[in-house]
Amino acid sequence: MVRWFSMAAGVVFPCMAEVRSTHASAELLQSSKGYQAGSPVEVALRLSIDEGWHTYWVNPGEAGMPLSVEWTLPDGWVAGPLLHPAPERFTTGGLSGFGYSGEVVIPVFLTAAPEASGEVGIRAEVRWLTCSDASCVAGEAVLEASWVEGVVGPGKDADEIASALEMVPRPLKGAALHVEPLAERLRLELTLPGGLDPTGSRVFPVTAEVIDAAESIEFRADQGKWRAEVETGDYVSEPVEELELVITGGGIDKPLLVGWTAAQE
Amino acid sequence: MHGSFGTPYNIMNNNCKWIGWIVAAGLACGTALALEPGDAAPEFTLTDTAGKEVSLADYQGKIVVLEWLNYGCPFVKKHYDSGNLPSLQKRYTAKDVVWLSINSSAEGKQGYMPGQELAEASEKRGNKATAILLDTDGKVGKAYGARTTPHMYVIGKDGRLAYMGALDDKPTTDQSDLGEATNYVAAAVDALMAGGGVEVTKVKPYGCGVKY
């Protein structure tokens, strides 16, 4: 069992700054300096990426590697998933990829242990891959954060984390995806509520390999539904059993997550 | 039905099962031109680091492993720094398997080295391949559809592609996961040496793009 510290009162943590590694700098943001036992606390990983380089989304596309975090938390604390914002699409050396350039902020909800008390610290070992047109280089950083027990006003990063959470794709009531697997093709049918229009939206497959990264997905209006047809990915095992898509931009104002599984039908 | 999407991306963990990347033998999906398992391995002649010509035809009747190489790629570094690729090369070349490392980096691109320099770099990294070949114009890489380093191909004694794709099921740059990796190339070569069929014949390659 990993025991990162449950600290004695009075020990001061070093003020954490950006950690630079190869072609990016990483920093751990905190929405607050205080926590309450059993309640969530928000953190976010901010990666500032050198110009001309990019990192990768959860589905990296034809090459690359998603960013990963190994958490070291006090006993009973739990880290939620990395909440990636919608990615951008890029092509390097003829290979299609999904990821980020410039700056990306990835929120994570931690939940304090029900019996947590005193000052606590966490550690995040972050690994990522940056690629440019010419090469790929791995980066890594060990980031730390600490909290005191009790209610403390919002920290300096609270607004930035709140904005980043707005960028995280979410399911929407009334939105649904249906997939009809055909021979080497998939027929996608999207239902959207309230007159939402995905024309001109960017569509990204969260599920790796079901749809090749090079394939572009464009929904068109067809008898009250939005439909698209795409080739099945080169490396998926058929029959296709699940697919999640992120849809953003165009007539979709907030990044949308829609999912389908064969089992639900 | 939306209940299952309560937390954004919570399905994602299930999608990361590598088994989903494996395409069973004989399943044809892909463009008409792309090579598939069972196809005849394209012939080629390249020069090794000493400038000597090496042809695939020289090894007719033998099991041949092709490994796309770029020492500047973090995924390739993982398998050399850990000794993983050198030990596979050593193990199989000792059993009369031919192992060809192919560098398709174009001149001026990452990983490109002239013959002498590539020989020295390979010596330093413990590369135990039968030969290390230069494909500077990228023709052989493109003929095979090599997308990444390390992209691996296994050719059977019949001259047909028995396996193509990832080296193993850990598409990371982290050496610590090698202990629990399933090596697809070793599995394919072992099956061919035992005279049996290769179970997993095509897996999505991982790594850095080949620097054509």
Side-chain angles (χ1 to χ4, degrees):
Chain A
M1 189 71 202
V2 180
R3 243 180 314 136
W4 192 242
F5 27 73
S6 212
M7 305 259 328
V11 177
V12 177
F13 278 80
C15 179
M16 287 314 300
E18 276 193 331
V19 174
R20 179 150 184 90
S21 172
T22 62
H23 293 284
S25 299
E27 187 174 3
L28 200 55
L29 308 179
Q30 291 173 260
S31 64
S32 163
K33 281 296 197 183
Y35 75 90
Q36 291 177 278
S39 295
V41 288
E42 294 166 18
V43 294
L45 179 74
R46 180 169 64 198
L47 212 60
S48 306
I49 305 150
D50 290 357
E51 197 176 337
W53 295 80
H54 51 253
T55 59
Y56 291 89
W57 187 41
V58 291
N59 176 5
E62 291 184 288
M65 183 178 80
L67 174 146
S68 67
V69 179
E70 197 174 316
W71 299 97
T72 307
L73 305 170
D75 284 351
W77 285 58
V78 179
L82 300 173
L83 301 174
H84 288 80
E88 55 188 273
R89 176 191 290 272
F90 46 75
T91 305
T92 46
L95 299 184
S96 294
F98 304 124
Y100 310 98
S101 56
E103 186 177 278
V104 57
V105 180
I106 304 169
V108 178
F109 285 95
L110 306 178
T111 305
E115 66 282 2
S117 64
E119 185 168 2
V120 295
I122 64 154
R123 186 162 67 175
E125 286 182 57
V126 188
R127 288 193 172 82
W128 65 83
L129 184 74
T130 48
C131 293
S132 69
D133 286 341
S135 62
C136 296
V137 181
E140 59 185 339
V142 177
L143 306 173
E144 292 176 355
S146 65
W147 289 268
V148 295
E149 190 182 352
V151 180
V152 180
K156 65 174 172 55
D157 303 326
D159 289 348
E160 188 167 355
I161 295 179
S163 310
L165 281 168
E166 291 288 307
M167 312 282 282
V168 176
R170 288 174 192 283
L172 179 67
K173 197 171 171 3
L177 177 69
H178 172 72
V179 178
E180 189 186 341
L182 308 170
E184 296 181 27
R185 296 189 76 75
L186 299 173
R187 193 169 284 160
L188 312 180
E189 182 187 288
L190 181 67
T191 308
L192 290 175
L196 283 181
D197 181 350
T199 308
S201 297
R202 300 181 298 282
V203 184
F204 303 100
V206 182
T207 318
E209 318 320 328
V210 170
I211 300 172
D212 280 341
E215 186 90 354
S216 78
I217 308 167
E218 288 174 41
F219 285 101
R220 292 171 204 285
D222 179 17
Q223 295 167 0
K225 299 272 188 189
W226 297 98
R227 292 181 209 279
E229 204 171 297
V230 292
E231 269 184 45
T232 310
D234 218 0
Y235 295 100
V236 71
S237 55
E238 292 186 272
V240 171
E241 287 178 343
E242 58 186 3
L243 178 65
E244 253 190 319
L245 299 177
V246 162
I247 306 173
T248 186
I252 307 291
D253 51 353
K254 288 194 172 175
L256 175 67
L257 182 70
V258 286
W260 166 86
T261 62
Q264 83 193 15
E265 308 245 308
Chain B
M1 104 188 211
H2 293 287
S4 60
F5 301 114
T7 308
Y9 295 173
N10 64 353
I11 283 189
M12 203 176 63
N13 295 331
N14 298 331
N15 295 334
C16 291
K17 288 174 194 158
W18 304 113
I19 196 76
W21 289 22
I22 298 166
V23 175
L27 195 75
C29 65
T31 54
L33 291 172
L35 284 177
E36 292 291 337
D39 289 351
E43 277 301 332
F44 60 82
T45 299
L46 291 171
T47 52
D48 69 8
T49 52
K52 185 178 143 245
E53 282 196 347
V54 172
S55 297
L56 182 61
D58 300 343
Y59 304 113
Q60 214 166 7
K62 293 194 176 194
I63 297 167
V64 179
V65 176
L66 307 181
E67 169 211 349
W68 258 266
L69 180 72
N70 174 352
Y71 291 128
C73 167
F75 295 88
V76 175
K77 279 185 195 156
K78 166 186 177 176
H79 293 290
Y80 279 95
D81 291 352
S82 62
N84 187 41
L85 269 174
S87 86
L88 287 168
Q89 291 157 346
K90 198 173 164 189
R91 186 201 313 167
Y92 289 114
T93 53
K95 293 177 181 171
D96 206 29
V97 170
V98 175
W99 190 297
L100 304 174
S101 296
I102 301 177
N103 186 342
S104 292
S105 290
E107 212 169 327
K109 296 283 183 74
Q110 189 204 36
Y112 169 78
M113 294 178 202
Q116 178 63 26
E117 200 183 317
L118 184 60
E120 286 164 12
S122 299
E123 171 77 32
K124 197 173 125 197
R125 285 168 177 82
N127 190 324
K128 300 279 190 293
T130 311
I132 297 154
L133 306 177
L134 284 92
D135 178 39
T136 309
D137 63 11
K139 275 190 189 147
V140 175
K142 286 170 187 167
Y144 276 80
R147 285 181 174 186
T148 63
T149 53
H151 196 160
M152 308 295 301
Y153 295 80
V154 178
I155 302 166
K157 291 177 179 173
D158 60 359
R160 294 190 174 273
L161 286 168
Y163 175 78
M164 49 196 289
L167 175 60
D168 59 23
D169 64 348
K170 298 280 182 262
T172 74
T173 57
D174 182 7
Q175 288 185 30
S176 68
D177 60 22
L178 279 171
E180 57 206 42
T182 297
N183 194 295
Y184 298 122
V185 171
V189 176
D190 288 344
L192 290 173
M193 287 196 307
V198 175
E199 200 178 332
V200 178
T201 59
K202 184 180 168 185
V203 174
K204 187 197 177 199
Y206 65 79
C208 312
V210 176
K211 308 303 178 202
Y212 291 116

